[in-house]
Structure formats: structure tokens, C-alpha cells
Coordinates of all heavy atoms in Angstrom, one line a residue:
M1 N -0.3 -29.5 -174.1 CA -1.5 -28.8 -173.7 C -1.5 -27.4 -174.3 O -2.6 -27.0 -174.8 CB -1.5 -28.7 -172.1 CG -2.7 -28.1 -171.6 SD -2.7 -28.2 -169.8 CE -4.2 -27.5 -169.4
L2 N -0.4 -26.7 -174.4 CA -0.3 -25.4 -175.0 C -0.7 -25.5 -176.5 O -1.4 -24.6 -177.0 CB 1.1 -24.8 -174.8 CG 1.3 -23.4 -175.4 CD1 0.3 -22.4 -174.7 CD2 2.7 -22.9 -175.1
A3 N -0.2 -26.5 -177.1 CA -0.5 -26.7 -178.6 C -2.0 -26.9 -178.8 O -2.6 -26.4 -179.7 CB 0.3 -27.8 -179.1
G4 N -2.6 -27.6 -177.9 CA -4.1 -27.8 -177.9 C -4.8 -26.5 -177.8 O -5.8 -26.3 -178.5
L5 N -4.4 -25.7 -176.8 CA -5.1 -24.4 -176.6 C -4.9 -23.5 -177.8 O -5.9 -22.8 -178.2 CB -4.5 -23.8 -175.3 CG -5.0 -24.4 -174.0 CD1 -4.2 -23.7 -172.9 CD2 -6.5 -24.3 -173.8
V6 N -3.7 -23.5 -178.4 CA -3.5 -22.7 -179.6 C -4.4 -23.2 -180.7 O -5.0 -22.4 -181.4 CB -2.0 -22.7 -179.9 CG1 -1.8 -22.0 -181.3 CG2 -1.2 -21.9 -178.9
G7 N -4.5 -24.5 -180.9 CA -5.3 -25.1 -181.9 C -6.8 -24.7 -181.7 O -7.5 -24.4 -182.7
L8 N -7.3 -24.8 -180.5 CA -8.7 -24.4 -180.2 C -8.9 -22.9 -180.5 O -9.9 -22.6 -181.0 CB -9.0 -24.7 -178.7 CG -9.2 -26.2 -178.4 CD1 -9.4 -26.4 -176.9 CD2 -10.4 -26.7 -179.2
A9 N -8.0 -22.1 -180.1 CA -8.1 -20.6 -180.3 C -8.1 -20.4 -181.8 O -9.0 -19.6 -182.3 CB -7.0 -19.9 -179.7
A10 N -7.3 -21.0 -182.6 CA -7.2 -20.8 -184.0 C -8.5 -21.3 -184.7 O -9.1 -20.7 -185.6 CB -6.0 -21.6 -184.6
A11 N -9.0 -22.5 -184.2 CA -10.3 -23.0 -184.8 C -11.5 -22.0 -184.5 O -12.3 -21.8 -185.3 CB -10.6 -24.4 -184.2
W12 N -11.5 -21.5 -183.3 CA -12.5 -20.5 -182.9 C -12.5 -19.3 -183.8 O -13.5 -18.8 -184.3 CB -12.4 -20.2 -181.4 CG -13.4 -19.2 -181.0 CD1 -14.7 -19.4 -180.7 CD2 -13.2 -17.8 -180.8 NE1 -15.4 -18.2 -180.4 CE2 -14.5 -17.2 -180.4 CE3 -12.1 -16.9 -180.9 CZ2 -14.6 -15.9 -180.1 CZ3 -12.3 -15.6 -180.6 CH2 -13.6 -15.1 -180.3
I13 N -11.3 -18.7 -184.0 CA -11.1 -17.6 -184.8 C -11.5 -17.8 -186.2 O -12.2 -17.1 -186.9 CB -9.7 -17.0 -184.7 CG1 -9.5 -16.4 -183.3 CG2 -9.4 -16.0 -185.8 CD1 -8.0 -16.0 -183.0
M14 N -11.1 -19.0 -186.8 CA -11.4 -19.3 -188.2 C -12.9 -19.6 -188.4 O -13.4 -19.4 -189.4 CB -10.7 -20.6 -188.6 CG -9.2 -20.3 -188.8 SD -8.5 -21.8 -189.5 CE -6.8 -21.5 -189.3
S15 N -13.6 -20.0 -187.3 CA -15.1 -20.2 -187.4 C -15.8 -19.0 -187.7 O -17.0 -19.0 -188.1 CB -15.6 -21.0 -186.2 OG -15.6 -20.1 -185.1
G16 N -15.2 -17.8 -187.5 CA -15.9 -16.5 -187.6 C -15.6 -15.9 -189.0 O -16.1 -14.8 -189.2
S17 N -14.9 -16.6 -189.9 CA -14.5 -15.9 -191.1 C -15.6 -15.5 -192.0 O -15.5 -14.6 -192.7 CB -13.5 -16.9 -191.9 OG -14.2 -18.1 -192.2
G18 N -16.8 -16.1 -191.9 CA -17.9 -15.8 -192.8 C -19.0 -15.1 -192.0 O -20.1 -14.8 -192.6
S19 N -18.8 -14.7 -190.8 CA -19.9 -14.1 -189.9 C -20.1 -12.6 -190.2 O -21.2 -12.1 -189.9 CB -19.5 -14.3 -188.5 OG -18.5 -13.4 -188.1
G20 N -19.2 -11.9 -190.8 CA -19.3 -10.5 -191.0 C -19.1 -9.7 -189.8 O -19.3 -8.5 -189.8
R21 N -18.6 -10.3 -188.7 CA -18.3 -9.7 -187.4 C -16.9 -9.7 -187.2 O -16.2 -10.7 -187.4 CB -19.1 -10.3 -186.3 CG -20.6 -10.1 -186.3 CD -21.2 -10.6 -185.1 NE -22.6 -10.3 -185.2 CZ -23.4 -10.5 -184.1 NH1 -23.0 -10.9 -183.0 NH2 -24.7 -10.2 -184.2
Y22 N -16.3 -8.6 -186.6 CA -14.9 -8.5 -186.4 C -14.6 -7.9 -185.0 O -15.3 -6.9 -184.6 CB -14.2 -7.7 -187.5 CG -14.3 -8.4 -188.8 CD1 -15.4 -8.2 -189.6 CD2 -13.3 -9.2 -189.3 CE1 -15.5 -8.8 -190.9 CE2 -13.4 -9.8 -190.5 CZ -14.5 -9.6 -191.3 OH -14.6 -10.2 -192.5
L23 N -13.6 -8.4 -184.4 CA -13.0 -7.7 -183.2 C -12.1 -6.6 -183.8 O -11.2 -7.0 -184.5 CB -12.2 -8.7 -182.3 CG -11.5 -8.0 -181.1 CD1 -12.4 -8.2 -179.9 CD2 -10.2 -8.6 -180.9
V24 N -12.4 -5.4 -183.4 CA -11.6 -4.3 -184.0 C -10.8 -3.6 -182.9 O -11.3 -3.3 -181.8 CB -12.6 -3.2 -184.6 CG1 -11.8 -2.1 -185.2 CG2 -13.4 -3.9 -185.7
I25 N -9.5 -3.5 -183.1 CA -8.6 -2.8 -182.2 C -8.2 -1.5 -182.8 O -7.5 -1.5 -183.8 CB -7.4 -3.7 -181.8 CG1 -7.9 -5.0 -181.3 CG2 -6.5 -3.0 -180.8 CD1 -6.8 -6.1 -181.2
A26 N -8.7 -0.4 -182.3 CA -8.3 0.9 -182.7 C -7.0 1.3 -182.1 O -6.5 0.6 -181.2 CB -9.4 1.9 -182.3
P27 N -6.3 2.3 -182.6 CA -5.0 2.7 -182.0 C -5.1 2.9 -180.5 O -6.1 3.3 -179.9 CB -4.7 4.0 -182.7 CG -5.4 3.9 -184.0 CD -6.7 3.2 -183.7
W28 N -4.0 2.6 -179.8 CA -3.9 2.7 -178.4 C -4.2 4.2 -178.0 O -3.8 5.1 -178.6 CB -2.5 2.3 -177.8 CG -2.5 2.4 -176.4 CD1 -1.9 3.3 -175.6 CD2 -3.1 1.5 -175.4 NE1 -2.0 3.0 -174.3 CE2 -2.8 1.9 -174.1 CE3 -3.9 0.3 -175.6 CZ2 -3.2 1.2 -173.0 CZ3 -4.3 -0.3 -174.5 CH2 -4.0 0.1 -173.2
G29 N -5.1 4.3 -177.0 CA -5.4 5.7 -176.5 C -6.7 6.2 -177.2 O -7.2 7.3 -176.8
A30 N -7.2 5.5 -178.2 CA -8.4 6.0 -178.9 C -9.6 5.9 -177.9 O -9.7 5.0 -177.1 CB -8.7 5.1 -180.1
S31 N -10.5 6.8 -178.0 CA -11.7 6.8 -177.2 C -12.7 5.9 -177.8 O -12.5 5.4 -179.0 CB -12.3 8.2 -177.1 OG -12.8 8.6 -178.4
R32 N -13.8 5.6 -177.1 CA -14.8 4.7 -177.6 C -15.4 5.4 -178.9 O -15.6 4.7 -179.9 CB -15.9 4.5 -176.6 CG -17.1 3.7 -177.0 CD -17.0 2.3 -176.8 NE -16.8 1.9 -175.4 CZ -16.1 0.9 -175.1 NH1 -15.6 0.0 -175.9 NH2 -15.9 0.6 -173.8
A33 N -15.6 6.7 -178.9 CA -16.1 7.4 -180.0 C -15.2 7.3 -181.2 O -15.6 7.2 -182.4 CB -16.4 8.9 -179.7
D34 N -13.9 7.4 -181.0 CA -12.9 7.2 -182.1 C -13.0 5.9 -182.7 O -13.0 5.7 -183.9 CB -11.5 7.4 -181.5 CG -11.1 8.8 -181.1 OD1 -11.8 9.8 -181.5 OD2 -10.2 9.0 -180.2
A35 N -13.1 4.8 -181.9 CA -13.3 3.5 -182.4 C -14.5 3.3 -183.2 O -14.5 2.7 -184.3 CB -13.2 2.5 -181.2
I36 N -15.6 3.8 -182.7 CA -16.9 3.8 -183.4 C -16.8 4.5 -184.8 O -17.3 4.1 -185.8 CB -18.1 4.2 -182.6 CG1 -18.3 3.3 -181.4 CG2 -19.4 4.4 -183.4 CD1 -19.2 3.8 -180.3
N37 N -16.2 5.7 -184.7 CA -16.0 6.5 -186.0 C -15.2 5.7 -187.0 O -15.4 5.8 -188.2 CB -15.5 7.8 -185.7 CG -16.5 8.7 -185.0 OD1 -17.7 8.6 -185.2 ND2 -16.0 9.7 -184.2
L38 N -14.2 5.0 -186.5 CA -13.3 4.2 -187.4 C -14.2 3.1 -188.1 O -14.1 2.9 -189.3 CB -12.3 3.5 -186.6 CG -11.2 2.8 -187.3 CD1 -9.9 2.9 -186.5 CD2 -11.5 1.3 -187.4
V39 N -15.1 2.5 -187.4 CA -16.0 1.5 -187.9 C -17.0 2.1 -188.9 O -17.2 1.6 -190.0 CB -16.7 0.7 -186.8 CG1 -17.9 -0.1 -187.4 CG2 -15.8 -0.1 -186.0
R40 N -17.5 3.3 -188.6 CA -18.4 3.9 -189.5 C -17.7 4.4 -190.8 O -18.3 4.4 -191.9 CB -19.0 5.1 -188.8 CG -20.1 4.7 -187.8 CD -20.8 5.8 -187.2 NE -21.8 5.3 -186.2 CZ -22.2 6.0 -185.2 NH1 -21.8 7.3 -185.0 NH2 -23.1 5.5 -184.4
A41 N -16.5 4.8 -190.7 CA -15.7 5.2 -191.8 C -15.5 4.0 -192.8 O -15.3 4.2 -194.0 CB -14.3 5.7 -191.4
A42 N -15.5 2.8 -192.2 CA -15.4 1.6 -193.1 C -16.7 1.0 -193.5 O -16.8 -0.1 -194.0 CB -14.6 0.5 -192.3
D43 N -17.8 1.8 -193.2 CA -19.2 1.4 -193.6 C -19.7 0.2 -192.8 O -20.3 -0.7 -193.4 CB -19.2 1.1 -195.1 CG -20.7 1.2 -195.7 OD1 -21.5 1.9 -195.1 OD2 -20.9 0.5 -196.7
G44 N -19.4 0.2 -191.5 CA -19.9 -0.9 -190.7 C -20.7 -0.3 -189.5 O -20.9 0.9 -189.4
G45 N -21.1 -1.2 -188.6 CA -21.9 -0.8 -187.5 C -21.4 -1.5 -186.2 O -20.7 -2.5 -186.3
L46 N -21.7 -0.9 -185.1 CA -21.3 -1.4 -183.8 C -22.2 -2.6 -183.4 O -23.4 -2.6 -183.5 CB -21.5 -0.3 -182.7 CG -21.1 -0.7 -181.3 CD1 -19.7 -0.9 -181.2 CD2 -21.6 0.4 -180.4
V47 N -21.5 -3.7 -183.0 CA -22.2 -4.9 -182.5 C -22.0 -5.0 -181.0 O -23.0 -5.4 -180.3 CB -21.6 -6.2 -183.2 CG1 -22.3 -7.4 -182.6 CG2 -21.9 -6.1 -184.7
G48 N -20.9 -4.7 -180.5 CA -20.6 -4.8 -179.1 C -19.4 -4.0 -178.7 O -18.6 -3.5 -179.5
M49 N -19.2 -3.9 -177.4 CA -18.0 -3.1 -176.8 C -17.2 -4.0 -175.9 O -17.7 -4.8 -175.2 CB -18.6 -1.9 -176.0 CG -19.4 -1.0 -176.9 SD -20.1 0.4 -175.9 CE -21.5 -0.4 -175.2
G50 N -15.9 -3.8 -176.0 CA -14.9 -4.5 -175.1 C -14.8 -3.7 -173.9 O -15.3 -2.6 -173.7
R51 N -14.0 -4.2 -173.0 CA -13.7 -3.5 -171.7 C -12.8 -2.2 -171.9 O -13.0 -1.3 -171.2 CB -13.0 -4.4 -170.7 CG -13.8 -5.7 -170.4 CD -14.4 -5.5 -169.1 NE -15.1 -6.8 -168.8 CZ -16.4 -6.8 -168.6 NH1 -17.2 -5.7 -168.7 NH2 -17.0 -8.0 -168.3
L52 N -11.9 -2.3 -172.9 CA -11.1 -1.1 -173.2 C -11.8 -0.3 -174.2 O -12.5 -0.8 -175.1 CB -9.7 -1.6 -173.7 CG -8.9 -2.4 -172.7 CD1 -7.6 -2.9 -173.4 CD2 -8.6 -1.6 -171.5
S53 N -11.6 1.0 -174.2 CA -12.3 1.9 -175.1 C -11.9 1.8 -176.5 O -12.7 2.1 -177.4 CB -12.1 3.4 -174.6 OG -10.7 3.7 -174.8
N54 N -10.7 1.2 -176.8 CA -10.3 1.1 -178.2 C -10.6 -0.3 -178.8 O -10.2 -0.6 -179.9 CB -8.8 1.4 -178.3 CG -7.9 0.3 -177.7 OD1 -8.3 -0.2 -176.6 ND2 -6.8 0.0 -178.3
I55 N -11.4 -1.1 -178.1 CA -11.7 -2.4 -178.6 C -13.2 -2.6 -178.7 O -13.9 -2.4 -177.7 CB -11.1 -3.5 -177.7 CG1 -9.6 -3.5 -177.7 CG2 -11.6 -4.9 -178.2 CD1 -8.9 -4.4 -176.8
I56 N -13.7 -2.9 -179.9 CA -15.1 -3.1 -180.1 C -15.4 -4.3 -181.1 O -14.4 -4.7 -181.7 CB -15.8 -1.8 -180.7 CG1 -15.2 -1.4 -182.0 CG2 -15.8 -0.7 -179.7 CD1 -15.9 -0.2 -182.6
I57 N -16.6 -4.7 -181.1 CA -17.0 -5.7 -182.1 C -17.9 -5.0 -183.1 O -18.8 -4.2 -182.8 CB -17.9 -6.8 -181.4 CG1 -17.2 -7.5 -180.2 CG2 -18.3 -7.9 -182.5 CD1 -15.9 -8.2 -180.6
A58 N -17.5 -5.2 -184.4 CA -18.2 -4.5 -185.5 C -18.7 -5.5 -186.5 O -18.2 -6.6 -186.6 CB -17.3 -3.5 -186.1
G59 N -19.7 -5.1 -187.3 CA -20.2 -5.9 -188.3 C -20.5 -5.2 -189.6 O -20.8 -4.0 -189.5
S60 N -20.5 -5.9 -190.7 CA -20.9 -5.3 -191.9 C -21.1 -6.4 -192.9 O -20.6 -7.5 -192.8 CB -19.8 -4.4 -192.5 OG -20.1 -3.9 -193.8
T61 N -21.9 -6.2 -193.9 CA -22.1 -7.1 -195.0 C -21.2 -6.9 -196.2 O -21.1 -7.6 -197.1 CB -23.6 -7.1 -195.6 OG1 -23.8 -5.7 -196.0 CG2 -24.6 -7.5 -194.5
R62 N -20.4 -5.8 -196.0 CA -19.4 -5.5 -197.0 C -18.3 -6.6 -197.1 O -17.7 -6.9 -196.1 CB -18.8 -4.1 -196.6 CG -17.9 -3.5 -197.6 CD -17.4 -2.2 -197.1 NE -16.3 -1.7 -197.9 CZ -15.7 -0.5 -197.8 NH1 -16.2 0.3 -196.9 NH2 -14.7 -0.2 -198.6
P63 N -18.1 -7.1 -198.3 CA -17.1 -8.2 -198.4 C -15.7 -7.8 -198.1 O -14.9 -8.6 -197.6 CB -17.2 -8.7 -199.9 CG -17.9 -7.6 -200.6 CD -18.7 -6.8 -199.6
D64 N -15.3 -6.6 -198.3 CA -13.9 -6.1 -198.0 C -13.9 -5.3 -196.7 O -13.0 -4.4 -196.5 CB -13.4 -5.3 -199.1 CG -14.2 -4.0 -199.4 OD1 -15.3 -3.9 -198.9 OD2 -13.6 -3.1 -200.0
F65 N -14.8 -5.6 -195.7 CA -14.9 -4.8 -194.5 C -13.6 -4.8 -193.7 O -13.2 -3.8 -193.2 CB -16.1 -5.3 -193.7 CG -16.3 -4.6 -192.4 CD1 -16.5 -3.2 -192.5 CD2 -16.4 -5.2 -191.2 CE1 -16.8 -2.4 -191.3 CE2 -16.7 -4.5 -190.0 CZ -16.9 -3.1 -190.1
A66 N -13.0 -6.0 -193.6 CA -11.7 -6.0 -192.8 C -10.6 -5.1 -193.4 O -10.0 -4.4 -192.7 CB -11.2 -7.5 -192.7
A67 N -10.5 -5.1 -194.7 CA -9.5 -4.3 -195.4 C -9.9 -2.8 -195.2 O -9.0 -2.0 -195.0 CB -9.4 -4.6 -196.9
A68 N -11.2 -2.5 -195.3 CA -11.6 -1.1 -195.1 C -11.3 -0.6 -193.7 O -11.0 0.5 -193.5 CB -13.1 -1.0 -195.4
L69 N -11.5 -1.5 -192.7 CA -11.2 -1.2 -191.3 C -9.7 -0.8 -191.1 O -9.3 0.2 -190.5 CB -11.5 -2.3 -190.3 CG -13.0 -2.5 -190.1 CD1 -13.3 -3.8 -189.4 CD2 -13.6 -1.3 -189.2
R70 N -8.8 -1.7 -191.7 CA -7.4 -1.4 -191.7 C -7.0 -0.1 -192.4 O -6.2 0.7 -191.9 CB -6.6 -2.6 -192.3 CG -6.7 -3.8 -191.5 CD -5.8 -5.0 -192.1 NE -6.1 -6.2 -191.4 CZ -7.0 -7.1 -191.8 NH1 -7.7 -6.9 -193.0 NH2 -7.2 -8.2 -191.1
K71 N -7.7 0.2 -193.5 CA -7.4 1.4 -194.2 C -7.9 2.6 -193.4 O -7.3 3.7 -193.5 CB -8.1 1.4 -195.6 CG -7.8 2.5 -196.5 CD -8.5 2.4 -197.8 CE -8.2 3.6 -198.7 NZ -8.8 3.5 -200.0
A72 N -9.0 2.4 -192.6 CA -9.5 3.5 -191.8 C -8.6 3.8 -190.6 O -8.8 4.8 -189.9 CB -10.9 3.2 -191.4
G73 N -7.7 2.8 -190.3 CA -6.8 3.1 -189.2 C -6.8 2.0 -188.1 O -6.1 2.2 -187.0
A74 N -7.5 0.9 -188.2 CA -7.6 -0.1 -187.2 C -6.2 -0.8 -187.1 O -5.6 -1.1 -188.1 CB -8.6 -1.1 -187.5
W75 N -5.8 -1.0 -185.9 CA -4.5 -1.7 -185.6 C -4.7 -3.2 -185.8 O -3.7 -3.8 -186.2 CB -4.0 -1.4 -184.3 CG -3.3 -0.1 -184.1 CD1 -3.2 0.9 -185.0 CD2 -2.6 0.4 -183.0 NE1 -2.5 2.0 -184.5 CE2 -2.1 1.7 -183.3 CE3 -2.3 -0.1 -181.7 CZ2 -1.4 2.4 -182.4 CZ3 -1.6 0.6 -180.8 CH2 -1.1 1.9 -181.2
G76 N -5.8 -3.7 -185.4 CA -6.1 -5.1 -185.5 C -7.5 -5.4 -185.9 O -8.4 -4.7 -185.5
V77 N -7.7 -6.4 -186.8 CA -9.0 -6.8 -187.2 C -9.1 -8.3 -187.2 O -8.3 -8.9 -187.9 CB -9.4 -6.3 -188.6 CG1 -10.8 -6.7 -189.0 CG2 -9.2 -4.7 -188.7
I78 N -9.9 -8.9 -186.4 CA -10.0 -10.4 -186.2 C -11.4 -10.8 -186.4 O -12.3 -10.4 -185.7 CB -9.5 -10.8 -184.9 CG1 -8.0 -10.4 -184.6 CG2 -9.6 -12.4 -184.7 CD1 -7.5 -10.5 -183.2
A79 N -11.6 -11.7 -187.4 CA -13.0 -12.3 -187.6 C -13.4 -13.0 -186.4 O -12.6 -13.7 -185.8 CB -13.0 -13.2 -188.8
T80 N -14.7 -12.9 -186.0 CA -15.2 -13.6 -184.8 C -16.5 -14.3 -185.2 O -17.2 -13.9 -186.2 CB -15.6 -12.6 -183.7 OG1 -16.6 -11.7 -184.2 CG2 -14.4 -11.8 -183.3
P81 N -16.8 -15.4 -184.5 CA -18.0 -16.1 -184.7 C -19.2 -15.2 -184.4 O -19.1 -14.2 -183.6 CB -18.0 -17.3 -183.7 CG -16.5 -17.4 -183.3 CD -15.9 -16.0 -183.5
S82 N -20.3 -15.5 -185.0 CA -21.5 -14.6 -184.8 C -22.1 -14.7 -183.4 O -22.8 -13.8 -183.0 CB -22.6 -14.9 -185.8 OG -23.0 -16.3 -185.7
R83 N -21.7 -15.7 -182.6 CA -22.2 -15.9 -181.3 C -21.2 -15.5 -180.2 O -21.1 -16.1 -179.2 CB -22.6 -17.3 -181.0 CG -23.8 -17.8 -181.8 CD -24.1 -19.1 -181.3 NE -25.2 -19.7 -182.0 CZ -25.6 -20.9 -181.8 NH1 -25.0 -21.7 -180.9 NH2 -26.7 -21.4 -182.4
I84 N -20.5 -14.4 -180.4 CA -19.5 -14.0 -179.4 C -20.3 -13.4 -178.2 O -21.2 -12.6 -178.4 CB -18.5 -13.0 -180.0 CG1 -17.4 -12.8 -179.0 CG2 -19.1 -11.7 -180.4 CD1 -16.1 -12.2 -179.6
E85 N -19.9 -13.7 -177.0 CA -20.5 -13.2 -175.8 C -19.4 -12.7 -174.9 O -18.9 -13.4 -174.0 CB -21.3 -14.3 -175.1 CG -22.5 -14.9 -175.9 CD -23.6 -13.9 -175.9 OE1 -23.7 -13.1 -174.9 OE2 -24.5 -14.0 -176.8
C86 N -19.0 -11.4 -175.1 CA -18.0 -10.8 -174.2 C -18.3 -9.4 -174.2 O -19.0 -8.8 -175.0 CB -16.6 -11.1 -174.7 SG -16.3 -10.4 -176.3
G87 N -17.7 -8.7 -173.2 CA -17.8 -7.3 -173.1 C -19.0 -6.8 -172.4 O -19.7 -7.6 -171.6
E88 N -19.3 -5.6 -172.5 CA -20.4 -5.0 -171.7 C -21.7 -5.1 -172.5 O -21.7 -5.1 -173.7 CB -20.1 -3.5 -171.5 CG -18.8 -3.3 -170.8 CD -18.4 -1.8 -170.8 OE1 -19.1 -1.0 -171.2 OE2 -17.2 -1.6 -170.3
P89 N -22.9 -5.1 -171.8 CA -24.1 -5.2 -172.5 C -24.4 -3.9 -173.3 O -24.0 -2.8 -172.9 CB -25.2 -5.3 -171.4 CG -24.4 -5.6 -170.1 CD -23.0 -5.2 -170.4
L90 N -25.0 -4.1 -174.4 CA -25.4 -2.9 -175.2 C -26.7 -2.4 -174.7 O -27.5 -3.1 -174.0 CB -25.6 -3.3 -176.7 CG -24.3 -3.7 -177.4 CD1 -24.6 -4.3 -178.8 CD2 -23.4 -2.5 -177.6
P91 N -27.1 -1.1 -175.0 CA -28.4 -0.6 -174.6 C -29.5 -1.6 -175.1 O -29.4 -2.1 -176.2 CB -28.5 0.7 -175.3 CG -27.0 1.1 -175.5 CD -26.3 -0.2 -175.8
G92 N -30.4 -1.8 -174.3 CA -31.5 -2.7 -174.6 C -31.3 -4.1 -174.1 O -32.1 -5.1 -174.4
G93 N -30.2 -4.4 -173.4 CA -30.0 -5.6 -172.7 C -29.2 -6.7 -173.5 O -28.9 -7.7 -172.9
Q94 N -28.9 -6.4 -174.7 CA -28.1 -7.4 -175.5 C -26.7 -7.4 -175.0 O -26.1 -6.4 -174.6 CB -28.1 -7.1 -177.0 CG -29.4 -7.1 -177.6 CD -29.4 -6.7 -179.1 OE1 -28.5 -6.0 -179.5 NE2 -30.3 -7.3 -179.9
T95 N -26.0 -8.5 -175.1 CA -24.6 -8.5 -174.8 C -23.8 -8.6 -176.1 O -24.3 -9.1 -177.1 CB -24.2 -9.8 -173.9 OG1 -24.6 -10.9 -174.6 CG2 -24.8 -9.6 -172.5
S96 N -22.6 -8.1 -176.0 CA -21.8 -8.1 -177.2 C -21.1 -9.5 -177.3 O -21.0 -10.3 -176.5 CB -20.8 -7.0 -177.2 OG -20.0 -7.1 -176.0

């Protein structure tokens, strides 16, 4: 059962490889503004917010966006499918 869950999680993560959206984990203790500034430094934009201030969903059409996020200081960058539904609603009623 555990192997099946790991396989499903891996398939879900791999399905986001071409979406241009990433789950970004800023350094522990980073504020929401710090995380957003990290994404902007990598030439990306905010797509959604996680429950913790250092976790956000970001997007960019830049082909090396994940590498640019890591260079800007992100601790973790995980490609996500374009239809991710988690976190808090963004202004205007959209969910991240």
C-alpha cells in the first residue's frame, strides 16, 4: 500500500513538469514577503499561497525558472500540475 501511495505521489509530481508552476519552499522563518521577493528575483509570479509563510506556488514561462529559484535562495522547488487546489484563496476568490 505504501509503495502504491509513493507511486501515485511521484506520478502527480511528474505530471506538473511542463506546467510552469512550482511549489516553492523559502528558507525556514522567511516571511510571506520574503518568499514572494524570492520568486520575483527569479522572474516569476505568485500563483497561490500555502498555510506556512515560507511556502507558495509560483509560476513563470522562463524555461530555467526552477534553477533561478534555487539560485535566488529557495530551499525546495517542486513542479506541480497546473490544477493544484490547496492553500488559501487569493484576492478575487481564486484558490491556489
